[in-house]
Amino acid sequence: RPSPPILYGRPPSLAWLKENADCVDTKSTIYPDVSSVRGAGHGAFASRDFAANERILIVPVLPIPEETMLDYYQSASMTNDQKQHHETEQKQLMYNYCYGHNESSMLLFP
């Protein structure tokens, strides 16, 4: 996407926005709720049907290139060499909110 043409602190024109921007649906098309499937717990649900390839929601994410970046050690002053020879204490809390794939070391934090 092209960068917005900001001149002298003015916002982009309506024409530029219509061509290049996305609008988040304000009609609450997705909402959290408890699943009717036994044992499934909570999830995200749609209040309307979506067209194929329709963008539902835009979520900016922070890429974390290596899952090990979220490893937590007893001492914050350990060098990388020392960390290689010690057990990881746990993952940082941020890990609980990341998206990832089993075949990739990349995580995405919304």
Side-chain angles (χ1 to χ4, degrees), residues 23-72:
C23 182
V24 175
D25 190 344
T26 59
K27 297 181 179 118
S28 299
T29 55
I30 61 170
Y31 59 94
D33 206 347
V34 178
S35 176
S36 60
V37 176
R38 179 178 283 178
H42 290 81
F45 297 88
S47 60
R48 66 175 180 84
D49 292 333
F50 295 100
N53 299 317
E54 178 180 354
R55 187 174 291 144
I56 299 169
L57 189 61
I58 301 164
V59 180
V61 294
L62 173 67
I64 301 170
E66 285 290 330
E67 181 179 330
T68 57
M69 292 176 75
L70 297 179
D71 288 348
Y72 177 80

Side-chain angles (χ1 to χ4, degrees), residues 75-89:
S75 173
S77 62
M78 292 175 80
T79 66
N80 285 338
D81 186 53
Q82 290 171 322
K83 289 178 183 179
Q84 290 177 356
H85 301 293
H86 282 80
E87 290 291 317
T88 301
E89 294 287 326

